[in-house]
CSV table of all heavy atoms in Angstrom, one decimal:
chain,number,residue,atom,x,y,z
A,1,ALA,N,26.6,113.7,-176.2
A,1,ALA,CA,27.8,114.2,-176.9
A,1,ALA,C,27.4,114.7,-178.3
A,1,ALA,O,26.7,114.0,-179.1
A,1,ALA,CB,28.9,113.2,-177.1
A,2,LYS,N,27.8,115.9,-178.6
A,2,LYS,CA,27.5,116.5,-180.0
A,2,LYS,C,28.6,116.1,-181.0
A,2,LYS,O,28.3,115.9,-182.2
A,2,LYS,CB,27.5,118.0,-179.9
A,2,LYS,CG,27.0,118.8,-181.1
A,2,LYS,CD,27.2,120.3,-180.9
A,2,LYS,CE,26.5,120.8,-179.6
A,2,LYS,NZ,26.7,122.2,-179.4
A,3,GLU,N,29.8,116.0,-180.5
A,3,GLU,CA,30.9,115.8,-181.5
A,3,GLU,C,31.8,114.6,-181.2
A,3,GLU,O,32.2,113.8,-182.0
A,3,GLU,CB,31.8,117.0,-181.6
A,3,GLU,CG,31.0,118.2,-182.1
A,3,GLU,CD,31.9,119.5,-182.0
A,3,GLU,OE1,33.1,119.4,-181.6
A,3,GLU,OE2,31.4,120.6,-182.3
A,4,GLN,N,32.2,114.4,-179.9
A,4,GLN,CA,33.3,113.6,-179.5
A,4,GLN,C,33.1,112.8,-178.2
A,4,GLN,O,32.5,113.4,-177.3
A,4,GLN,CB,34.6,114.4,-179.4
A,4,GLN,CG,35.9,113.6,-179.1
A,4,GLN,CD,37.0,114.6,-178.8
A,4,GLN,OE1,36.9,115.7,-178.3
A,4,GLN,NE2,38.2,114.2,-179.2
A,5,VAL,N,33.5,111.6,-178.2
A,5,VAL,CA,33.6,110.8,-177.0
A,5,VAL,C,35.0,110.2,-176.9
A,5,VAL,O,35.5,109.5,-177.8
A,5,VAL,CB,32.5,109.6,-177.0
A,5,VAL,CG1,32.7,108.7,-175.8
A,5,VAL,CG2,31.1,110.2,-177.0
A,6,PHE,N,35.6,110.3,-175.7
A,6,PHE,CA,36.9,109.8,-175.5
A,6,PHE,C,36.9,109.0,-174.2
A,6,PHE,O,36.4,109.4,-173.2
A,6,PHE,CB,37.9,111.0,-175.4
A,6,PHE,CG,39.3,110.5,-175.1
A,6,PHE,CD1,40.1,109.9,-176.1
A,6,PHE,CD2,39.9,110.7,-173.8
A,6,PHE,CE1,41.4,109.5,-175.8
A,6,PHE,CE2,41.2,110.3,-173.6
A,6,PHE,CZ,41.9,109.7,-174.6
A,7,PHE,N,37.6,107.8,-174.2
A,7,PHE,CA,37.6,107.0,-173.0
A,7,PHE,C,38.8,106.0,-173.2
A,7,PHE,O,39.4,105.9,-174.2
A,7,PHE,CB,36.3,106.2,-172.9
A,7,PHE,CG,36.0,105.2,-173.9
A,7,PHE,CD1,36.3,103.8,-173.8
A,7,PHE,CD2,35.5,105.6,-175.2
A,7,PHE,CE1,36.0,102.9,-174.8
A,7,PHE,CE2,35.2,104.7,-176.2
A,7,PHE,CZ,35.4,103.3,-176.0
A,8,ASP,N,39.2,105.4,-172.0
A,8,ASP,CA,40.3,104.4,-172.0
A,8,ASP,C,39.8,103.1,-171.5
A,8,ASP,O,38.7,103.0,-170.8
A,8,ASP,CB,41.4,104.9,-171.2
A,8,ASP,CG,41.1,105.0,-169.7
A,8,ASP,OD1,39.9,105.2,-169.3
A,8,ASP,OD2,42.0,104.9,-168.9
A,9,THR,N,40.5,102.0,-171.8
A,9,THR,CA,40.2,100.7,-171.3
A,9,THR,C,41.5,100.0,-171.0
A,9,THR,O,42.5,100.3,-171.4
A,9,THR,CB,39.4,99.9,-172.4
A,9,THR,OG1,40.2,99.8,-173.6
A,9,THR,CG2,38.1,100.5,-172.7
A,10,PHE,N,41.3,98.9,-170.1
A,10,PHE,CA,42.4,98.0,-169.9
A,10,PHE,C,42.2,96.8,-170.8
A,10,PHE,O,41.1,96.4,-171.1
A,10,PHE,CB,42.4,97.5,-168.4
A,10,PHE,CG,42.7,98.6,-167.4
A,10,PHE,CD1,42.1,98.7,-166.2
A,10,PHE,CD2,43.8,99.4,-167.7
A,10,PHE,CE1,42.4,99.6,-165.3
A,10,PHE,CE2,44.1,100.4,-166.8
A,10,PHE,CZ,43.4,100.5,-165.6
A,11,ASN,N,43.3,96.3,-171.3
A,11,ASN,CA,43.3,95.3,-172.4
A,11,ASN,C,43.4,93.8,-171.9
A,11,ASN,O,44.1,93.5,-171.0
A,11,ASN,CB,44.4,95.5,-173.4
A,11,ASN,CG,44.2,96.9,-174.0
A,11,ASN,OD1,43.1,97.4,-174.3
A,11,ASN,ND2,45.3,97.6,-174.3
A,12,ARG,N,42.6,93.0,-172.5
A,12,ARG,CA,42.4,91.6,-172.0
A,12,ARG,C,43.7,90.8,-172.2
A,12,ARG,O,44.2,90.1,-171.3
A,12,ARG,CB,41.3,90.9,-172.8
A,12,ARG,CG,41.0,89.5,-172.3
A,12,ARG,CD,39.8,88.9,-173.0
A,12,ARG,NE,38.6,89.7,-172.8
A,12,ARG,CZ,37.9,89.7,-171.7
A,12,ARG,NH1,38.3,89.0,-170.7
A,12,ARG,NH2,36.8,90.5,-171.6
A,13,PHE,N,44.4,91.0,-173.4
A,13,PHE,CA,45.6,90.1,-173.7
A,13,PHE,C,46.8,91.0,-173.4
A,13,PHE,O,47.5,91.4,-174.3
A,13,PHE,CB,45.5,89.7,-175.1
A,13,PHE,CG,44.2,88.9,-175.4
A,13,PHE,CD1,43.2,89.5,-176.2
A,13,PHE,CD2,44.0,87.7,-174.9
A,13,PHE,CE1,42.1,88.8,-176.5
A,13,PHE,CE2,42.8,87.0,-175.1
A,13,PHE,CZ,41.9,87.5,-175.9
A,14,SER,N,47.1,91.1,-172.1
A,14,SER,CA,48.2,92.0,-171.7
A,14,SER,C,48.6,91.6,-170.3
A,14,SER,O,48.0,90.7,-169.7
A,14,SER,CB,47.8,93.5,-171.7
A,14,SER,OG,46.9,93.7,-170.7
A,15,THR,N,49.7,92.3,-169.8
A,15,THR,CA,50.1,92.0,-168.4
A,15,THR,C,49.1,92.4,-167.4
A,15,THR,O,49.1,92.0,-166.2
A,15,THR,CB,51.4,92.8,-168.1
A,15,THR,OG1,51.2,94.2,-168.4
A,15,THR,CG2,52.6,92.2,-168.9
A,16,ARG,N,48.1,93.2,-167.8
A,16,ARG,CA,47.0,93.5,-166.9
A,16,ARG,C,46.3,92.3,-166.4
A,16,ARG,O,45.7,92.2,-165.3
A,16,ARG,CB,46.0,94.5,-167.6
A,16,ARG,CG,44.9,95.0,-166.7
A,16,ARG,CD,45.4,96.0,-165.7
A,16,ARG,NE,44.4,96.2,-164.6
A,16,ARG,CZ,44.4,97.2,-163.8
A,16,ARG,NH1,45.4,98.1,-163.8
A,16,ARG,NH2,43.5,97.3,-162.8
A,17,SER,N,46.2,91.3,-167.3
A,17,SER,CA,45.5,90.0,-166.9
A,17,SER,C,46.2,89.4,-165.7
A,17,SER,O,45.5,88.9,-164.8
A,17,SER,CB,45.5,89.0,-168.1
A,17,SER,OG,44.8,89.6,-169.2
A,18,LEU,N,47.5,89.4,-165.6
A,18,LEU,CA,48.2,88.9,-164.5
A,18,LEU,C,48.0,89.7,-163.3
A,18,LEU,O,47.8,89.2,-162.1
A,18,LEU,CB,49.7,88.8,-164.8
A,18,LEU,CG,50.1,87.9,-166.0
A,18,LEU,CD1,51.6,88.0,-166.3
A,18,LEU,CD2,49.7,86.4,-165.8
A,19,TYR,N,48.1,91.0,-163.4
A,19,TYR,CA,47.9,91.9,-162.3
A,19,TYR,C,46.5,91.8,-161.7
A,19,TYR,O,46.3,92.0,-160.5
A,19,TYR,CB,48.2,93.4,-162.8
A,19,TYR,CG,48.0,94.4,-161.8
A,19,TYR,CD1,48.8,94.5,-160.7
A,19,TYR,CD2,47.1,95.5,-162.0
A,19,TYR,CE1,48.6,95.5,-159.7
A,19,TYR,CE2,46.9,96.5,-161.1
A,19,TYR,CZ,47.7,96.5,-160.0
A,19,TYR,OH,47.6,97.5,-159.0
A,20,ASN,N,45.5,91.5,-162.5
A,20,ASN,CA,44.1,91.4,-162.1
A,20,ASN,C,44.0,90.4,-161.0
A,20,ASN,O,43.1,90.5,-160.1
A,20,ASN,CB,43.2,91.1,-163.2
A,20,ASN,CG,42.4,92.2,-163.7
A,20,ASN,OD1,42.7,93.4,-163.4
A,20,ASN,ND2,41.3,92.0,-164.3
A,21,TRP,N,44.8,89.3,-161.1
A,21,TRP,CA,44.7,88.3,-160.1
A,21,TRP,C,44.9,88.8,-158.7
A,21,TRP,O,44.4,88.2,-157.7
A,21,TRP,CB,45.6,87.1,-160.4
A,21,TRP,CG,45.3,86.4,-161.6
A,21,TRP,CD1,44.2,86.4,-162.4
A,21,TRP,CD2,46.2,85.5,-162.3
A,21,TRP,NE1,44.2,85.6,-163.5
A,21,TRP,CE2,45.5,85.0,-163.5
A,21,TRP,CE3,47.5,85.0,-162.1
A,21,TRP,CZ2,46.0,84.1,-164.4
A,21,TRP,CZ3,48.0,84.1,-163.0
A,21,TRP,CH2,47.3,83.6,-164.1
A,22,ALA,N,45.7,89.8,-158.5
A,22,ALA,CA,46.1,90.3,-157.2
A,22,ALA,C,45.2,91.4,-156.7
A,22,ALA,O,45.3,91.8,-155.6
A,22,ALA,CB,47.6,90.8,-157.3
A,23,LEU,N,44.3,91.8,-157.5
A,23,LEU,CA,43.4,92.9,-157.1
A,23,LEU,C,42.2,92.4,-156.4
A,23,LEU,O,41.6,91.4,-156.8
A,23,LEU,CB,42.9,93.7,-158.4
A,23,LEU,CG,44.0,94.5,-159.1
A,23,LEU,CD1,43.3,95.1,-160.4
A,23,LEU,CD2,44.5,95.6,-158.2
A,24,PRO,N,41.7,93.1,-155.3
A,24,PRO,CA,40.6,92.6,-154.6
A,24,PRO,C,39.3,92.6,-155.4
A,24,PRO,O,38.4,91.8,-155.2
A,24,PRO,CB,40.5,93.6,-153.4
A,24,PRO,CG,41.3,94.8,-153.8
A,24,PRO,CD,42.4,94.3,-154.7
A,25,MET,N,39.1,93.6,-156.3
A,25,MET,CA,37.9,93.7,-157.1
A,25,MET,C,38.1,93.3,-158.5
A,25,MET,O,37.2,93.0,-159.3
A,25,MET,CB,37.4,95.2,-157.1
A,25,MET,CG,36.9,95.6,-155.8
A,25,MET,SD,36.2,97.3,-155.9
A,25,MET,CE,37.6,98.2,-156.4
A,26,GLY,N,39.4,93.2,-159.0
A,26,GLY,CA,39.7,92.9,-160.4
A,26,GLY,C,39.3,94.1,-161.2
A,26,GLY,O,38.8,95.1,-160.8
A,27,SER,N,39.4,93.9,-162.5
A,27,SER,CA,39.0,95.0,-163.5
A,27,SER,C,38.4,94.3,-164.7
A,27,SER,O,38.7,93.2,-165.0
A,27,SER,CB,40.3,95.7,-164.0
A,27,SER,OG,40.9,96.4,-162.9
A,28,ARG,N,37.5,95.0,-165.3
A,28,ARG,CA,37.0,94.5,-166.6
A,28,ARG,C,38.0,94.8,-167.7
A,28,ARG,O,38.5,95.9,-167.9
A,28,ARG,CB,35.7,95.2,-166.9
A,28,ARG,CG,34.9,94.6,-168.1
A,28,ARG,CD,33.7,95.3,-168.5
A,28,ARG,NE,32.9,94.5,-169.5
A,28,ARG,CZ,31.9,93.8,-169.3
A,28,ARG,NH1,31.4,93.7,-168.0
A,28,ARG,NH2,31.3,93.1,-170.2
A,29,LEU,N,38.4,93.7,-168.4
A,29,LEU,CA,39.3,93.8,-169.5
A,29,LEU,C,38.6,93.6,-170.8
A,29,LEU,O,37.7,92.9,-170.9
A,29,LEU,CB,40.4,92.7,-169.3
A,29,LEU,CG,41.1,92.7,-167.9
A,29,LEU,CD1,42.2,91.6,-167.9
A,29,LEU,CD2,41.8,94.1,-167.6
A,30,TYR,N,39.2,94.3,-171.8
A,30,TYR,CA,38.5,94.3,-173.1
A,30,TYR,C,39.4,93.8,-174.2
A,30,TYR,O,40.6,94.2,-174.3
A,30,TYR,CB,38.1,95.8,-173.5
A,30,TYR,CG,37.0,96.3,-172.5
A,30,TYR,CD1,37.4,96.9,-171.3
A,30,TYR,CD2,35.7,96.4,-172.9
A,30,TYR,CE1,36.4,97.4,-170.5
A,30,TYR,CE2,34.7,96.9,-172.0
A,30,TYR,CZ,35.1,97.4,-170.8
A,30,TYR,OH,34.2,97.9,-170.0
A,31,SER,N,38.8,93.0,-175.1
A,31,SER,CA,39.5,92.7,-176.4
A,31,SER,C,39.2,93.7,-177.4
A,31,SER,O,38.2,94.5,-177.3
A,31,SER,CB,39.1,91.3,-176.8
A,31,SER,OG,37.7,91.3,-177.2
A,32,ARG,N,39.9,93.7,-178.5
A,32,ARG,CA,39.6,94.6,-179.6
A,32,ARG,C,38.2,94.4,-180.2
A,32,ARG,O,37.5,95.3,-180.5
A,32,ARG,CB,40.7,94.6,-180.7
A,32,ARG,CG,40.4,95.5,-181.9
A,32,ARG,CD,40.3,96.9,-181.4
A,32,ARG,NE,39.9,97.8,-182.4
A,32,ARG,CZ,40.7,98.6,-183.1
A,32,ARG,NH1,42.0,98.5,-182.9
A,32,ARG,NH2,40.3,99.4,-184.1
A,33,TRP,N,37.9,93.1,-180.3
A,33,TRP,CA,36.5,92.7,-180.8
A,33,TRP,C,35.5,93.4,-179.9
A,33,TRP,O,34.5,93.9,-180.4
A,33,TRP,CB,36.4,91.2,-180.8
A,33,TRP,CG,35.0,90.8,-181.2
A,33,TRP,CD1,34.6,90.6,-182.5
A,33,TRP,CD2,34.0,90.4,-180.4
A,33,TRP,NE1,33.3,90.2,-182.5
A,33,TRP,CE2,32.9,90.0,-181.2
A,33,TRP,CE3,33.8,90.3,-179.0
A,33,TRP,CZ2,31.6,89.6,-180.7
A,33,TRP,CZ3,32.6,89.9,-178.5
A,33,TRP,CH2,31.5,89.6,-179.3
A,34,GLU,N,35.6,93.4,-178.6
A,34,GLU,CA,34.6,93.9,-177.7
A,34,GLU,C,34.5,95.5,-177.9
A,34,GLU,O,33.4,96.0,-177.8
A,34,GLU,CB,35.0,93.6,-176.2
A,34,GLU,CG,34.8,92.1,-175.9
A,34,GLU,CD,35.3,91.8,-174.5
A,34,GLU,OE1,36.5,91.9,-174.3
A,34,GLU,OE2,34.5,91.4,-173.7
A,35,ILE,N,35.7,96.1,-178.1
A,35,ILE,CA,35.6,97.6,-178.3
A,35,ILE,C,34.9,97.9,-179.6
A,35,ILE,O,34.1,98.8,-179.7
A,35,ILE,CB,37.1,98.1,-178.3
A,35,ILE,CG1,37.7,98.0,-177.0
A,35,ILE,CG2,37.1,99.6,-178.8
A,35,ILE,CD1,37.0,98.8,-175.9
A,36,ASP,N,35.2,97.2,-180.7
A,36,ASP,CA,34.5,97.4,-181.9
A,36,ASP,C,33.0,97.2,-181.8
A,36,ASP,O,32.2,98.0,-182.3
A,36,ASP,CB,35.1,96.4,-183.0
A,36,ASP,CG,36.5,96.8,-183.5
A,36,ASP,OD1,36.9,98.0,-183.2
A,36,ASP,OD2,37.2,95.9,-184.0
A,37,ARG,N,32.6,96.2,-181.0
A,37,ARG,CA,31.2,96.0,-180.8
A,37,ARG,C,30.6,97.1,-180.0
A,37,ARG,O,29.4,97.5,-180.4
A,37,ARG,CB,31.0,94.6,-180.1
A,37,ARG,CG,29.5,94.2,-180.0
A,37,ARG,CD,29.4,92.9,-179.4
A,37,ARG,NE,29.9,92.9,-178.0
A,37,ARG,CZ,29.7,91.9,-177.1
A,37,ARG,NH1,29.1,90.8,-177.5
A,37,ARG,NH2,30.2,92.0,-175.9
A,38,LEU,N,31.3,97.6,-179.0
A,38,LEU,CA,30.7,98.7,-178.2
A,38,LEU,C,30.6,100.0,-179.1
A,38,LEU,O,29.6,100.7,-179.0
A,38,LEU,CB,31.7,99.0,-177.0
A,38,LEU,CG,31.6,98.0,-175.9
A,38,LEU,CD1,32.8,98.4,-174.9
A,38,LEU,CD2,30.3,98.1,-175.1
A,39,LEU,N,31.6,100.3,-179.9
A,39,LEU,CA,31.5,101.5,-180.7
A,39,LEU,C,30.4,101.4,-181.7
A,39,LEU,O,29.6,102.3,-182.0
A,39,LEU,CB,32.8,101.7,-181.4
A,39,LEU,CG,34.0,102.0,-180.5
A,39,LEU,CD1,35.3,102.3,-181.3
A,39,LEU,CD2,33.7,103.1,-179.5
A,40,ASP,N,30.2,100.2,-182.3
A,40,ASP,CA,29.1,100.0,-183.3
A,40,ASP,C,27.8,100.2,-182.6
A,40,ASP,O,26.9,100.8,-183.2
A,40,ASP,CB,29.2,98.6,-183.9
A,40,ASP,CG,30.3,98.5,-184.9
A,40,ASP,OD1,30.9,99.5,-185.4
A,40,ASP,OD2,30.7,97.4,-185.3
A,41,GLY,N,27.7,99.6,-181.4
A,41,GLY,CA,26.4,99.7,-180.7
A,41,GLY,C,26.0,101.1,-180.3
A,41,GLY,O,24.8,101.4,-180.2
A,42,ALA,N,27.0,101.9,-180.0
A,42,ALA,CA,26.8,103.3,-179.6
A,42,ALA,C,26.8,104.2,-180.8
A,42,ALA,O,26.6,105.4,-180.6
A,42,ALA,CB,27.9,103.7,-178.6
A,43,ASP,N,27.0,103.7,-182.0
A,43,ASP,CA,27.0,104.6,-183.2
A,43,ASP,C,28.1,105.6,-183.1
A,43,ASP,O,27.9,106.8,-183.4
A,43,ASP,CB,25.6,105.2,-183.4
A,43,ASP,CG,25.4,105.7,-184.8
A,43,ASP,OD1,26.1,105.2,-185.7
A,43,ASP,OD2,24.6,106.6,-185.0
A,44,LEU,N,29.3,105.1,-182.8
A,44,LEU,CA,30.5,106.0,-182.7
A,44,LEU,C,31.5,105.6,-183.7
A,44,LEU,O,31.7,104.4,-183.9
A,44,LEU,CB,31.1,105.9,-181.3
A,44,LEU,CG,30.3,106.6,-180.2
A,44,LEU,CD1,30.9,106.2,-178.8
A,44,LEU,CD2,30.3,108.1,-180.3
A,45,GLU,N,32.2,106.5,-184.3
A,45,GLU,CA,33.2,106.2,-185.3
A,45,GLU,C,34.6,106.4,-184.6
A,45,GLU,O,34.9,107.5,-184.1
A,45,GLU,CB,33.1,107.2,-186.5
A,45,GLU,CG,31.8,107.0,-187.3
A,45,GLU,CD,31.8,107.9,-188.5
A,45,GLU,OE1,32.6,108.9,-188.6
A,45,GLU,OE2,30.9,107.8,-189.3
A,46,LEU,N,35.4,105.4,-184.7
A,46,LEU,CA,36.8,105.5,-184.2
A,46,LEU,C,37.6,106.4,-185.0
A,46,LEU,O,37.9,106.2,-186.2
A,46,LEU,CB,37.4,104.1,-184.1
A,46,LEU,CG,38.8,104.1,-183.5
A,46,LEU,CD1,38.7,104.5,-182.0
A,46,LEU,CD2,39.3,102.6,-183.5
A,47,ALA,N,38.1,107.5,-184.4
A,47,ALA,CA,38.9,108.5,-185.2
A,47,ALA,C,40.4,108.2,-185.0
A,47,ALA,O,41.2,108.4,-185.9
A,47,ALA,CB,38.6,109.9,-184.7
A,48,GLU,N,40.7,107.8,-183.7
A,48,GLU,CA,42.1,107.6,-183.4
A,48,GLU,C,42.2,106.7,-182.2
A,48,GLU,O,41.4,106.7,-181.3
A,48,GLU,CB,42.8,108.9,-183.1
A,48,GLU,CG,44.3,108.8,-182.9
A,48,GLU,CD,44.9,110.2,-182.7
A,48,GLU,OE1,44.2,111.2,-182.4
A,48,GLU,OE2,46.2,110.3,-182.7
């Protein structure tokens, strides 16, 4: 990427946690701390 990276995540502390129990594969859920760490590691600045 030259300018921008955009992505979405499912959140750890939400109703998604309950829904995950019913899923055959589950989903990876993220806390805000994990997102901040990922962005720092990738050298990305959160714009919005």
Side-chain angles (χ1 to χ4, degrees):
K2 189 187 308 179
E3 300 172 2
Q4 180 186 33
V5 174
F6 178 73
F7 64 102
D8 67 334
T9 57
F10 291 141
N11 298 327
R12 185 174 302 282
F13 304 109
S14 69
T15 53
R16 183 74 195 193
S17 298
L18 301 175
Y19 179 60
N20 253 23
W21 292 348
L23 292 175
M25 292 183 299
S27 297
R28 189 181 187 103
L29 307 180
Y30 295 81
S31 67
R32 179 55 188 266
W33 176 82
E34 289 171 297
I35 293 298
D36 288 341
R37 186 177 64 172
L38 284 172
L39 296 183
D40 286 345
D43 199 23
L44 288 167
E45 295 180 350
L46 182 61
E48 187 179 12

